[in-house]
Amino acid sequence: MPREGEGKSLARRTFLGIGWGAVVASILGMLAATVRFLVPNVLFEPAASFKIGKPNDYAPGSVTFIPERKIFVIRALDGSFQTLTATCPHLRCVVRWIAEERVYECPCHGSRFTDRGKVTAGPAPGPLEWYEVTLATDGRLYVNTLVQVRADYRLTV
Ligand code: FES
């Protein structure tokens, strides 16, 4: 048989338990937010300069797309190298090489570029960018996307 006021006391204990639980949860939430605030926001971007393999990995007369770097590696028939961005200067979609027509085409809004990167159609405001490519000391090709070069720049190996 319940004693007088026992039901009331139980309800009060339940209420206090929920209240203390809410206080503890809010303190833990504030601690978590403080710890998160102390951890710096780091933007992980791909490296601006990188190696793309050995010269013999590319056949003379080829245009090779490297998707993870968004560049084209162009090896001329004389064996020289050039690297061209695959990023469209309009809204940064990735352009594709159409070998049969020898043009680059952007699938987003239809910009087209010659095999020299000059814009011939579409909303792109300018040409595709050429990047410096050099030979690293270990004999691999080294691309620096921070260094833009003219369209006639070539690495002869
Ligand atoms: S992003 Fe290439 S044409 Fe718009």
Side-chain angles (χ1 to χ4, degrees):
M1 177 173 188
R3 285 181 274 163
E4 190 178 323
E6 193 172 294
K8 225 180 199 179
S9 173
L10 202 58
R12 184 169 168 254
R13 277 192 196 150
T14 303
F15 176 76
L16 286 176
I18 291 171
W20 278 112
V23 168
V24 169
S26 65
I27 289 172
L28 289 175
M30 283 190 295
L31 281 175
T34 302
V35 169
R36 176 63 190 96
F37 176 75
L38 294 175
V39 176
N41 289 325
V42 179
L43 184 60
F44 293 100
E45 290 185 352
S49 54
F50 43 84
K51 293 177 181 171
I52 54 170
K54 299 204 176 228
N56 287 341
D57 295 342
Y58 302 92
S62 66
V63 177
T64 306
F65 177 55
I66 302 180
E68 59 272 14
R69 302 295 185 184
K70 294 182 184 167
I71 61 166
F72 292 100
V73 179
I74 300 152
R75 187 164 197 194
L77 288 171
D78 66 1
S80 63
F81 283 92
Q82 294 182 290
T83 52
L84 180 69
T85 183
T87 303
C88 180
H90 180 225
L91 292 177
R92 308 194 63 74
C93 286
V94 175
V95 301
R96 59 182 171 226
W97 169 243
I98 302 174
E100 309 80 51
E101 300 177 43
R102 298 202 59 77
V103 296
Y104 298 94
E105 185 180 72
C106 182
C108 292
H109 309 105
S111 286
R112 287 171 72 91
F113 307 85
T114 67
D115 60 348
R116 308 306 309 143
K118 287 185 180 166
V119 62
T120 56
L128 298 173
E129 296 172 349
W130 298 89
Y131 296 137
E132 180 186 63
V133 56
T134 56
L135 206 55
T137 53
D138 63 0
R140 292 193 288 170
L141 296 165
Y142 181 77
V143 178
N144 187 350
T145 61
L146 296 177
V147 179
Q148 289 180 31
V149 294
R150 291 170 28 146
D152 57 359
Y153 169 91
R154 279 179 171 68
L155 168 68
T156 305
V157 291

